[in-house]
Amino acid sequence: MLELEPLDQILGTRIHGANLSEPLSDDDFMVVLKALGEYGYVCFPGQALSAAQQKAFAERFGSLEINVAGSYQEPGIPEIMILSNIVENGKPIGIGDAGQDWHTDMSYSSMIAFLNVLHGIKIPRRDGKPLGGTSFANMVQAYDDLPDDIKERIEGLTATHDFNKFWEMMRREKGSSRPPLTPEQRAKKPPVVHPLVLIHPITGKKVLYANPGYAERINELSQQESDDLLRYLFEHQLQEKYQATHRWTEGDVLVWDNIGTMHNAVADYRADEPRLIKRCQVMADWILQSDLAKANGAEARFFGTH
Ligand code: SIN
């Protein structure tokens, strides 16, 4: 039987009593789904999982994305991406700088992401303290706290999200050695449009869906108005009161909901402090067409507006 241990912060719960190397019962699956809606992220501590078992657990929640960074995949399981700063025989074994600023995964895709499922294998520590945490911000609460006139203004507006925005920001501001995207890579990831306010498929609550990583333009406004409103929304949603950080322990399986949260991989460790995490990206195809999403009106909001 699963036991929830909600954390004393704006997001996050631990779930005890699960063995994710085996399929969850239907009841336990529903408990996890509801917990994701309520808490934004869940941590299952002490999980010993093979990559194949991690994939099997993740794909219960939707189809899995195969990342464009094709060279950092688990051999034989391309749905598992390797996040790591470890270099072996002169070659990086994973992508070292993934997600190191605030963003929402796959908002640049016409089918958005639902979950990320990460398994912590090696966690950097200094003076006994874990480094390389993953921070989250609560976009349900951020929406809820917006002044009424802003809520009215953004209802019905849409934003363009572009993969290249975050990629270029990493190159420009974070000293990343990523090369610019090639025209072929850009053509594979054209900008997409999503409503600024989504309805959460699990809870039916409204969510502010505009992350600084990928949202670049509010389509119905002039350039100046769009810049001003996005600046306001980004500042609002990144207030500390909406944030919580997961501090990793080896064996953690961390699952988060990308619809109701934004996240940031905290880059506070050095190249000689190894971090190794395996990651699956679950798309929102199944959840947005589930009975739950239909009952909450989330499906119509997402598919009806673009
Ligand atoms: C990501 O999926 O954005 C990376 C998160 C992390 O490495 O903590």
Side-chain angles (χ1 to χ4, degrees), residues 13 83 143 154 176 201 235:
T13 185
L83 308 177
Y143 175 81
I154 64 177
S176 172
E235 264 174 37

Side-chain angles (χ1 to χ4, degrees), residues 120-171:
I121 317 270
K122 270 195 189 134
I123 305 304
R125 270 192 192 72
R126 206 178 299 153
D127 304 324
K129 288 211 184 103
L131 301 170
T134 310
S135 295
F136 297 94
N138 186 329
M139 291 305 102
V140 176
Q141 195 60 51
Y143 175 81
D144 227 40
D145 290 349
L146 283 171
D148 286 346
D149 61 321
I150 301 285
K151 283 185 181 155
E152 268 167 41
R153 190 165 175 222
I154 64 177
E155 189 68 30
L157 296 185
T158 62
T160 294
H161 298 246
D162 189 351
F163 182 69
N164 194 50
K165 181 181 180 198
F166 195 80
W167 192 275
E168 279 301 312
M169 187 274 296
M170 290 294 292
R171 286 168 30 79

Side-chain angles (χ1 to χ4, degrees), residues 230-256:
L230 280 180
R231 191 173 319 108
Y232 170 85
L233 293 173
F234 295 158
E235 264 174 37
H236 169 77
Q237 67 190 351
L238 284 176
Q239 292 176 77
E240 270 195 26
K241 64 182 176 180
Y242 302 129
Q243 297 180 25
T245 297
H246 175 70
R247 309 214 180 271
W248 287 88
T249 299
E250 287 80 357
D252 283 351
V253 168
L254 187 71
V255 184
W256 70 81

Side-chain angles (χ1 to χ4, degrees), residues 83 98-100 103 105 116 118 132-134 248 256 263-266 275 277 279:
L83 308 177
Q100 293 181 347
H103 66 290
D105 283 331
N116 283 32
L118 270 60
T134 310
W248 287 88
W256 70 81
H263 64 280
N264 175 13
V266 182
R275 184 179 195 259
I277 290 184
R279 170 187 189 269

Side-chain angles (χ1 to χ4, degrees), residues 74-287:
E74 179 78 10
I77 311 185
E79 296 85 355
I80 300 262
M81 185 177 175
I82 314 283
L83 308 177
S84 188
N85 58 349
I86 300 173
V87 178
E88 278 174 3
N89 304 321
K91 273 187 71 181
I93 66 162
I95 180 157
D97 61 4
Q100 293 181 347
D101 210 326
W102 288 101
H103 66 290
T104 301
D105 283 331
M106 310 294 302
S107 76
Y108 54 79
S109 161
S110 54
M111 174 48 66
I112 59 173
F114 178 27
L115 306 180
N116 283 32
V117 177
L118 270 60
H119 186 211
I121 317 270
K122 270 195 189 134
I123 305 304
R125 270 192 192 72
R126 206 178 299 153
D127 304 324
K129 288 211 184 103
L131 301 170
T134 310
S135 295
F136 297 94
N138 186 329
M139 291 305 102
V140 176
Q141 195 60 51
Y143 175 81
D144 227 40
D145 290 349
L146 283 171
D148 286 346
D149 61 321
I150 301 285
K151 283 185 181 155
E152 268 167 41
R153 190 165 175 222
I154 64 177
E155 189 68 30
L157 296 185
T158 62
T160 294
H161 298 246
D162 189 351
F163 182 69
N164 194 50
K165 181 181 180 198
F166 195 80
W167 192 275
E168 279 301 312
M169 187 274 296
M170 290 294 292
R171 286 168 30 79
R172 201 176 52 241
E173 292 168 26
K174 304 274 175 175
S176 172
S177 58
R178 303 168 177 209
L181 290 175
T182 62
E184 292 73 30
Q185 284 171 316
R186 288 204 68 175
K188 277 194 194 150
K189 301 265 173 209
V192 299
V193 172
H194 297 304
L196 262 185
V197 181
L198 290 182
I199 295 183
H200 199 284
I202 303 174
T203 61
K205 292 183 179 165
K206 288 192 173 173
V207 170
L208 178 57
Y209 196 74
N211 67 90
Y214 298 115
E216 63 169 10
R217 178 81 159 85
I218 299 178
N219 302 305
E220 296 77 7
L221 304 182
S222 70
Q223 184 69 54
Q224 189 60 53
E225 286 169 330
S226 165
D227 290 350
D228 292 347
L229 185 53
L230 280 180
R231 191 173 319 108
Y232 170 85
L233 293 173
F234 295 158
E235 264 174 37
H236 169 77
Q237 67 190 351
L238 284 176
Q239 292 176 77
E240 270 195 26
K241 64 182 176 180
Y242 302 129
Q243 297 180 25
T245 297
H246 175 70
R247 309 214 180 271
W248 287 88
T249 299
E250 287 80 357
D252 283 351
V253 168
L254 187 71
V255 184
W256 70 81
D257 159 36
N258 278 291
I259 301 177
T261 68
M262 301 193 303
H263 64 280
N264 175 13
V266 182
D268 58 355
Y269 54 98
R270 297 186 305 255
D272 62 345
E273 295 171 313
R275 184 179 195 259
L276 171 59
I277 290 184
K278 295 190 179 181
R279 170 187 189 269
C280 279
Q281 178 82 72
V282 182
M283 303 308 288
D285 49 356
W286 172 76
I287 191 69

